[in-house]
């Protein structure tokens, strides 16, 4: 089931003289599926929400040989929310799209699927985790305030800040309070403090 040239078949038994066939070639079949994997090969590992990562897509026949004659495109979808990299890709070269960047904005366990443009042949990646991005801190004057402001506190008290994940989604992955000194700021653009 592997494409190649110069194959032979040999028949033997304990009694008769062994016989070997003439050499023959096995050619690649038509396109039936796609392999969707990490850009460097293998399973896609844990990714970070909002951060781009690259995937590799290979066009394959029914025996999973690379269909080198495929130079078309595929459409990328995901069970996660694709903020970049969804839709139609660039053209394949000799059956392979070596690197295609995608970004998933939400967190959870997801897959990516490649479907031949205007076709039915598909391939789905392994399930992989998309984790929250690194936490940032921000100081807020009162409930509902957005932006970087001084936190009022009594004499001898340590000001507190809210920790949030920078996914751009209000209140997503809220994880409590964090103590810090005066004067810290952050780059957070949205937060609703209840």
């Amino acid at each position: 089931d592997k494409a190649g040239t110069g194959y032979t078949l040999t028949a033997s038994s304990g009694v008769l003289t062994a016989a070997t066939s003439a050499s023959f070639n096995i050619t690649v079949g038509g396109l039936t599926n796609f392999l969707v994997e990490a850009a460097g090969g293998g399973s896609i590992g844990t990714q970070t929400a909002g951060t781009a990562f690259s995937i590799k897509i290979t066009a394959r026949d029914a025996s999973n040989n690379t269909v080198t004659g495929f130079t078309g495109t595929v459409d990328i979808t995901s069970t996660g929310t694709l903020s970049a990299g969804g839709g139609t890709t660039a053209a394949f070269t000799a059956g392979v799209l070596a690197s295609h960047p995608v970004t998933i904005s939400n967190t959870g366990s997801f897959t990516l699927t490649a479907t031949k443009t205007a076709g039915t042949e598909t391939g789905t990646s392994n399930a992989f985790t998309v984790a929250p991005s690194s936490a940032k801190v921000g100081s807020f004057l009162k409930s509902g305030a957005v932006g970087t402001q001084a936190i009022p506190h009594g004499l001898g008290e340590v000001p507190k800040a809210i920790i949030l994940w920078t996914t751009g989604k209000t209140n997503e992955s809220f994880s409590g309070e964090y103590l810090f000194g005066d004067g810290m700021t952050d780059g957070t653009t949205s937060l609703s403090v209840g």
Side-chain angles (χ1 to χ4, degrees):
D1 62 356
K2 184 177 182 181
T5 60
Y7 287 103
T8 60
L9 292 172
T10 300
S12 62
S13 73
V15 178
L16 300 175
T17 302
T20 301
S21 72
S23 65
F24 59 92
N25 302 328
I26 297 177
T27 58
V28 175
L31 174 67
T32 64
N33 69 89
F34 294 95
L35 173 64
V36 181
E37 58 185 339
S43 297
I44 299 171
T46 299
Q47 303 299 322
T48 302
T51 300
F53 61 98
S54 293
I55 58 174
K56 177 183 177 181
I57 308 169
T58 304
R60 306 191 303 183
D61 68 8
S63 297
N64 294 332
N65 297 300
T66 301
V67 180
T68 57
F70 180 73
T71 57
T73 61
V74 296
D75 298 326
I76 302 297
T77 57
S78 177
T79 53
T81 301
L82 283 169
S83 57
T88 304
T89 66
F92 282 50
T93 300
V96 177
L97 184 60
S99 183
H100 177 75
V102 295
T103 304
I104 295 178
S105 60
N106 56 334
T107 60
S109 179
F110 307 118
T111 59
L112 289 161
T113 297
T115 303
K116 180 183 176 183
T117 304
T120 58
E121 299 85 351
T122 67
T124 299
S125 72
N126 62 289
F128 58 92
T129 298
V130 177
S133 59
S134 300
K136 288 187 176 183
V137 296
S139 55
F140 299 89
L141 179 62
K142 61 183 179 180
S143 177
V146 177
T148 301
Q149 303 178 31
I151 297 178
H153 56 283
L155 184 64
E157 292 181 349
V158 179
K160 295 180 179 180
I162 303 299
I163 293 180
L164 64 148
W165 299 110
T166 57
T167 60
K169 290 194 172 184
T170 301
N171 274 345
E172 182 166 338
S173 299
F174 170 72
S175 62
E177 296 179 324
Y178 180 77
L179 302 181
F180 73 107
D182 288 317
M184 293 186 69
T185 60
D186 75 347
T188 303
T189 57
S190 64
L191 176 69
S192 176
V193 182

